[in-house]
Amino acid sequence: MNFVTPVILAQHPKINEWLTCVEKEMRVTLAKLLAQSVKDVTAFKSGKIDPQQYLAWVDKYQVR
């Protein structure tokens, strides 16, 4: 997963500080991805789901 804001080890040389930054960025990134995926899923509320469009949505938000 690529973070929204990268965590640079050189800026956070202490392990506890670095881990805190990584945890924060994981939360921020996951929250933003969730918000975007919910926004994008509205295309499927019409009732008929295009399989290609659905698979593209799944690929965009899959766990890597």
Side-chain angles (χ1 to χ4, degrees):
M1 167 180 19
N2 294 328
F3 293 142
V4 173
T5 307
V7 177
I8 301 169
L9 185 58
Q11 293 176 347
H12 308 283
K14 295 182 180 178
I15 188 71
N16 292 340
E17 184 181 321
W18 179 78
L19 285 173
T20 300
C21 290
V22 167
E23 180 182 7
K24 177 187 169 231
E25 285 307 316
M26 282 181 5
R27 289 179 187 203
V28 168
T29 299
L30 288 172
K32 287 185 178 194
L33 286 172
L34 176 61
Q36 185 62 43
S37 70
V38 168
K39 185 177 169 184
D40 290 350
V41 82
T42 58
F44 305 120
K45 290 189 176 183
S46 65
K48 186 175 183 207
I49 298 174
D50 175 30
Q52 295 294 350
Q53 187 181 14
Y54 175 73
L55 289 175
W57 178 80
V58 169
D59 285 341
K60 185 176 179 180
Y61 297 107
Q62 69 177 330
V63 176
R64 296 178 209 160

